[in-house]
Amino acid sequence: NALVLRSAKLAYRTCKRGHDHVDVAATHLNTGVVYRQQGKYSEALAKYKEAERIYVKALGHDHESVAKTKRQTSIVRFEQQRKILVGVILVFFFFNVFGAILKSFSAMRFSTSSEL
């Protein structure tokens, strides 16, 4: 499992290099990517936030690694919003289709009872 390997790597790098080393930040970032691919957006955002904190502390705000981490964060937020929007569209579609079916059954029921 990718997360088990990332966790082991994170523990090793943290132990060897310290909590605020750029290699530890890279591991947080890569773990966040795995979480994002699994659809675990809140976990991914937490990992990206920690990676960004370390990168800013070690390299400064203008470093490309900080920008890369912010880009990953934006991707996760976009995917979260897209997932919500798809859910809303599906609910809207379901209720419209279900409403149309009920309407047609209702019309059939009334036309059948009036013929008797």
Side-chain angles (χ1 to χ4, degrees), residues 48 64-76:
Y48 293 154
E64 66 182 278
S65 295
V66 175
K68 181 179 179 181
T69 305
K70 287 181 178 184
R71 185 172 53 248
Q72 290 295 330
T73 301
S74 297
I75 290 168
V76 168

Side-chain angles (χ1 to χ4, degrees), residues 2-87:
L3 285 175
V4 173
L5 293 173
R6 299 279 180 216
S7 295
K9 194 177 228 183
L10 180 62
Y12 174 78
R13 285 183 169 177
T14 302
C15 182
K16 286 290 187 184
R17 298 183 177 133
H19 290 281
D20 293 332
H21 194 275
V22 292
D23 288 345
V24 173
T27 305
H28 279 294
L29 181 66
N30 292 331
T31 304
V33 170
V34 173
Y35 278 129
R36 180 180 58 83
Q37 291 170 343
Q38 293 179 349
K40 298 177 179 177
Y41 299 124
S42 59
E43 291 91 338
L45 287 173
K47 290 295 182 181
Y48 293 154
K49 184 177 179 180
E50 182 61 14
E52 184 179 349
R53 183 196 67 76
I54 295 168
Y55 280 139
V56 167
K57 184 175 181 179
L59 305 170
H61 288 279
D62 296 330
H63 195 272
E64 66 182 278
S65 295
V66 175
K68 181 179 179 181
T69 305
K70 287 181 178 184
R71 185 172 53 248
Q72 290 295 330
T73 301
S74 297
I75 290 168
V76 168
R77 292 188 194 285
F78 173 79
E79 288 179 1
Q80 280 180 317
Q81 292 170 354
R82 184 182 65 189
K83 190 174 182 178
I84 291 169
L85 181 60
V86 167

